[in-house]
Amino acid sequence: MAAMASTTPARKRPSRSRPKHTIGPGGPWSKLAPTAVTRAYDSPTDADGWEAWQDHLRSRKLSSLERIAASDGSPLAWGLPTEGCYEPALALVDWLGELIPRPRKPTAPWEKEASRWLSAAEAAPLTPELAVECLAWCWALPTLADYLSESLWWRLLNHLATLPEEAEQSAADASLLARQLALGELPLAMAYLFGELASAQPLAELGRRTLTAGLCAVADGRKVPHARHLADLRPLLACWTRSRALDNRMDRGWSGAQVDRQLSLVLQAALRLSRGDGRPVFAAPGAPSWEADFMTVATRLAGAEAAKVARLTTVGRPHGRFDKRLPPTSIESEWATLAQLRTNWIPDSPALVVKYDGPQIELELNASSRTLWSGPWGLEMTRGGRRLAQVGPWEQTCWLSDHEIDYLELSTDLEHGVEVERHIVMLRADRVLLLADTILGGSGPPLEYRSVLPLSGGTRFHGEKETREGTLAVAGKSAARVLPLALPEWRVERAPGELCSKGDALELSHVTHACRLFAPLLVDLNPERLRRQLTWRRLTVAEERQNVAPDVAAGFRAEIGGSQWVVYRSLAPPTVRSLLSKSLLNQFLFGVFSAKGKVEPLVEIESA
């Protein structure tokens, strides 16, 4: 039997192995890195890795930030003031915006500037200005590969990629805006632009987590941002709008009901807290109005409710009447230490913003598209020549708002048992504002009181020659009249105080030998009444048929062009007293006279 030939089993062909993603100049590569690039950088003898990477960057189809945000100019400039600390950052944004693809040859000016900036940035503390500059370099990096040397380009990328992680560990003292830009938007942009790096996904997750936390931290869920974030509210909104638009281009979008709701709330707050010219309240010099592209993208992403507020505040449908279908015109939050008292949704309607997060209350009053005053509402109390220091914060003690009025009451404590209560009332239909201080407690020598309102740059106060009221004029045009109700109307009568302008401030002063004082200031903001006759007088307040002293209770009556109002404040413990034949047991009252000559209360505050 013939022997069978031996056979050798056929070898199994090895399957084509996938390229191993090893470490490149920017760290480990991800699965998105092209094989030509990873192999070129893997080869110890092949020096073509940089050229392969340059070719890959030129061939990509990623959109620019301008295209993503549908903006003609750079979206990085949205909401930033053109003057002050942001000027160098905005200049860098413009300079980097001039980049166009060129042959792969380092260019001396760009190489020098990038090296200088990087050396300074590596040792600089985290600020919003630095974060904006980082974003500008980030978005320019793909094109900069044609301008910079290989070593400098990768050094710049690695700095921007590691900055969020370093900032997360050391940015506790940085502002919310700086953290949102550097730990939120920047890592998201790096992840979008350089998905070829393994660090892209962790960066995207860090960015989304930071942005969500920032959105939830800035407002209280009722459209009221915290007062400490007010100056950065519009740049923050710009950061979140850009990030939202960018993340829509990525696989795992930064979205959801919570994000969309908070973005809508912040946009509504920013729209409300804007002047008639579109600039933010308490605006710094150079603050811009709403950029058209910014507004378009933000309203599109924020939803229908925010778009409605945008139409109301920018187009200004004449909704003078209270309408439950519209968002409330006024807002207040004790948590946010911020309030806005606004008469209606017409853009040039009177609106007062009150900020009380610090030792001084800050006010801004806008009416008829003009800013009448903006800044700290000063309070100075002295007794026997010694100034009484404030020993407690301002606290909200009452807030009322309905279709007729807004009422805000704040209080604080001074030395030697002196308490200060501030009453702020806005009448919607009448367009009348009342600012009043109540001083309670303490004893000793005469009490000297000064209230100071910071007039805006173009506002001037013109006092009357024969009477003590005056007119506020902006750029030579009358905007409001101011009545110091606790002072006699006519100058021929001796007065314990004065209403006058000193420098860029409107000052109301009083001197009293009593330990209690009520100092109301009535501001008429109705342009139709500016030329009409006015008068006011102190009213007699009686208790058990006996007239009481001004330090027990005070009442005043003011009339302008046929409209009449009554203000009453009990300074001693409240009891039944009479005013204009009306029995009162109130601590505070603000009312109007009806056609029948009776007092109709608009605000009534009972004693605690």
Side-chain angles (χ1 to χ4, degrees):
M1 184 173 179
M4 296 181 61
S6 62
T7 60
T8 303
R11 290 185 179 180
K12 185 177 182 181
R13 290 187 177 183
S15 60
R16 181 178 296 179
S17 60
R18 295 182 178 179
K20 185 178 181 180
H21 300 287
T22 55
I23 297 176
W29 299 104
S30 73
K31 294 181 180 180
L32 297 178
T35 303
V37 173
T38 58
R39 284 181 175 175
Y41 270 113
D42 275 349
S43 174
T45 58
D46 193 346
D48 294 336
W50 176 237
E51 290 189 8
W53 180 242
Q54 288 177 308
D55 290 339
H56 170 66
L57 292 178
R58 293 191 197 99
S59 66
R60 298 187 312 174
K61 302 300 182 182
L62 295 180
S63 298
S64 66
L65 180 58
E66 288 78 8
R67 185 171 180 180
I68 291 171
S71 176
D72 294 331
S74 175
L76 294 178
W78 285 351
L80 298 180
T82 56
E83 301 176 11
C85 59
Y86 284 101
E87 285 187 77
L90 294 176
L92 179 65
V93 170
D94 291 340
W95 188 63
L96 291 173
E98 298 174 359
L99 286 169
I100 57 174
R102 291 184 178 181
R104 59 187 82 175
K105 183 178 180 181
T107 307
W110 298 95
E111 184 89 2
K112 180 179 179 181
E113 177 60 24
S115 179
R116 182 205 64 79
W117 180 88
L118 187 55
S119 298
E122 287 174 336
L126 180 60
T127 63
E129 304 84 46
L130 177 62
V132 171
E133 293 177 359
C134 289
L135 283 165
W137 284 108
C138 171
W139 282 100
L141 268 177
T143 307
L144 280 171
D146 288 334
Y147 287 75
L148 305 180
S149 63
E150 177 182 12
S151 60
L152 180 58
W153 191 94
W154 282 110
R155 180 184 163 203
L156 182 57
L157 179 139
N158 288 327
H159 172 72
L160 297 177
T162 57
L163 176 65
E165 181 179 354
E166 295 173 358
E168 190 177 24
Q169 300 172 358
S170 60
D173 296 332
S175 67
L176 177 65
L177 177 58
R179 296 196 301 271
Q180 290 298 292
L181 291 169
L183 280 72
E185 185 177 0
L186 177 61
L188 205 63
M190 290 293 294
Y192 173 76
L193 291 171
F194 303 106
E196 299 89 346
L197 303 178
S199 60
Q201 186 58 39
L203 281 172
E205 292 174 356
L206 170 62
R208 294 180 182 115
R209 185 171 65 250
T210 302
L211 293 166
T212 300
L215 263 175
C216 296
V218 75
D220 67 349
R222 295 189 297 112
K223 309 181 180 68
V224 188
H226 199 283
R228 65 172 172 265
H229 302 311
L230 196 56
D232 291 333
L233 185 60
R234 202 168 290 188
L236 280 168
L237 177 62
C239 167
W240 294 325
T241 300
R242 291 189 300 264
S243 300
R244 187 76 168 79
L246 170 62
D247 212 54
N248 283 346
R249 301 292 186 100
M250 303 174 73
D251 292 338
R252 300 175 64 181
W254 175 53
S255 61
Q258 182 185 31
V259 169
D260 294 344
R261 176 61 177 165
Q262 287 299 118
L263 188 61
S264 176
L265 293 178
V266 174
L267 176 57
Q268 291 178 61
L271 288 164
R272 290 169 173 277
L273 298 167
S274 299
R275 297 173 178 171
D277 60 5
R279 295 189 301 155
V281 295
F282 302 110
S289 298
W290 282 105
E291 297 92 341
D293 297 338
F294 182 12
M295 176 71 74
T296 299
V297 177
T299 52
R300 175 173 56 83
L301 294 175
E305 187 175 355
K308 180 190 294 185
V309 175
R311 288 193 298 271
L312 292 170
T313 53
T314 56
V315 178
R317 298 177 182 177
H319 291 294
R321 297 182 178 180
F322 182 78
D323 190 338
K324 292 183 178 180
R325 294 172 297 178
L326 299 176
T329 58
S330 299
I331 55 174
E332 191 277 339
S333 169
E334 188 175 359
W335 170 85
T337 60
L338 186 71
Q340 183 182 50
L341 293 73
R342 183 171 185 151
T343 57
N344 55 53
W345 277 117
I346 299 174
D348 63 352
S349 63
L352 179 74
V353 179
V354 185
K355 182 173 174 282
Y356 56 98
D357 61 323
Q360 285 186 306
I361 297 173
E362 293 187 50
L363 298 181
E364 177 164 310
L365 176 63
N366 293 284
S368 301
S369 299
R370 303 179 182 92
T371 301
L372 303 187
W373 62 65
S374 180
W377 181 9
L379 173 66
E380 183 177 316
M381 301 289 300
T382 59
R383 174 164 275 151
R386 184 178 181 277
R387 186 169 180 174
L388 301 179
Q390 185 174 337
V391 296
W394 286 101
E395 296 180 348
Q396 184 254 76
T397 51
C398 186
W399 166 254
L400 300 172
S401 183
D402 59 26
H403 65 284
E404 292 183 313
I405 61 96
D406 294 320
Y407 174 74
L408 176 64
E409 183 178 298
L410 305 169
S411 67
T412 190
D413 294 321
L414 306 182
E415 291 179 310
H416 306 299
V418 176
E419 181 182 354
V420 180
E421 293 180 357
R422 288 195 142 164
H423 313 270
I424 304 172
V425 185
M426 180 75 82
L427 303 188
R428 298 182 188 277
D430 288 343
R431 297 174 72 125
V432 166
L433 171 68
L434 178 75
L435 302 176
D437 279 337
T438 298
I439 313 300
L440 302 171
S443 61
L447 187 68
E448 298 179 14
Y449 159 88
R450 289 176 63 246
S451 170
V452 181
L453 290 168
L455 301 179
S456 65
T459 306
R460 296 292 180 267
F461 176 75
H462 303 289
E464 297 295 329
K465 294 181 179 180
E466 298 181 350
T467 54
R468 287 191 170 86
E469 81 274 10
T471 301
L472 293 177
V474 182
K477 188 174 181 180
S478 299
R481 286 196 288 184
V482 186
L483 286 63
L485 300 184
L487 299 179
E489 177 182 359
W490 297 93
R491 293 188 179 275
V492 294
E493 298 182 58
R494 189 175 179 180
E498 187 62 64
L499 176 67
C500 61
S501 61
K502 291 187 177 180
D504 294 331
L506 178 64
E507 180 179 303
L508 175 65
S509 62
H510 280 271
V511 179
T512 179
H513 290 270
C515 61
R516 296 182 290 264
L517 172 69
F518 181 56
L521 198 64
L522 190 73
V523 184
D524 182 19
L525 299 166
N526 191 330
E528 297 178 359
R529 288 195 298 257
L530 290 177
R531 297 183 180 276
R532 297 186 181 182
Q533 292 185 343
L534 61 81
T535 185
W536 77 90
R537 64 185 177 90
R538 181 184 288 271
L539 298 175
T540 300
V541 181
E543 180 181 334
E544 295 182 353
R545 299 184 180 181
Q546 297 292 323
N547 295 345
V548 301
D551 65 329
V552 174
F556 305 95
R557 176 176 178 174
E559 179 179 359
I560 305 177
S563 299
Q564 298 186 59
W565 306 276
V566 174
V567 183
Y568 169 81
R569 168 70 206 212
S570 174
L571 299 171
T575 185
V576 178
R577 301 188 182 98
S578 61
L579 178 76
L580 296 173
S581 302
K582 180 179 178 62
S583 296
L584 299 174
L585 189 57
N586 306 100
Q587 185 180 78
F588 176 82
L589 179 142
F590 193 0
V592 298
F593 275 97
S594 67
K596 297 180 180 180
K598 294 184 178 181
V599 177
E600 294 184 355
L602 298 175
V603 181
E604 289 185 283
I605 305 300
E606 304 295 335
S607 59

